[in-house]
Amino acid sequence: LDFIDLLSLLVLVNIGNHFDLKASVFQAPRRGIYSFSFHVVKVYNRQTIQVNLMQNDFPVISAFAGDQDVTREAASNGVLLMVERDDRVYLKLERGTLMGGWKYSTFSGFLVFPL
């Protein structure tokens, strides 16, 4: 299990401090519809990467990159997700190697509609 590497993580916006930098997990402050998206870059080494967006330890969506003939390849995905208060949302590298660890990756989320 490979979670976000804290040494390469830079948090640009964290209003309310609901993204726990130490655990690399967003914990929802309230029930609602949230928008989440992520972008990752794999290294050239003839391997496939798979990154999952997890909600409470269950995969919700995945992104894959597996072209064998490029030096770098990116994968992205996004979702509108029903989230309960205190649900945890995070990224998990299921397989492969990311370029620079998580350094060139992004993970974003925001509340779209409170319930």
Side-chain angles (χ1 to χ4, degrees):
L1 305 179
D2 185 8
F3 297 98
I4 295 175
D5 175 11
L6 294 176
L7 296 176
S8 61
L9 188 63
L10 173 65
V11 177
L12 300 177
V13 178
N14 191 9
I15 296 171
N17 292 314
H18 298 289
F19 181 78
D20 180 343
L21 180 61
K22 186 173 182 180
S24 300
V25 172
F26 171 76
Q27 187 165 352
R30 64 181 305 164
R31 183 176 189 252
I33 305 298
Y34 287 76
S35 174
F36 292 100
S37 62
F38 62 95
H39 177 85
V40 295
V41 180
K42 82 173 193 88
V43 296
Y44 175 73
N45 59 357
R46 298 197 175 275
Q47 48 102 27
T48 298
I49 61 165
Q50 176 185 351
V51 175
N52 292 339
L53 180 113
M54 308 292 289
Q55 181 180 15
N56 299 326
D57 301 325
F58 296 98
V60 177
I61 58 173
S62 299
F64 297 86
D67 192 325
Q68 304 296 311
D69 296 322
V70 296
T71 55
R72 291 177 192 88
E73 186 179 13
S76 300
N77 209 341
V79 66
L80 287 175
L81 189 59
M82 173 68 187
V83 175
E84 298 294 332
R85 182 173 188 218
D86 293 327
D87 276 4
R88 300 173 16 196
V89 180
Y90 56 94
L91 297 179
K92 180 180 175 187
L93 180 63
E94 288 291 344
R95 66 179 143 148
T97 304
L98 298 176
M99 188 171 113
W102 292 94
K103 182 177 182 179
Y104 301 106
S105 301
T106 61
F107 173 54
S108 300
F110 58 90
L111 177 64
V112 174
F113 188 80
L115 298 174

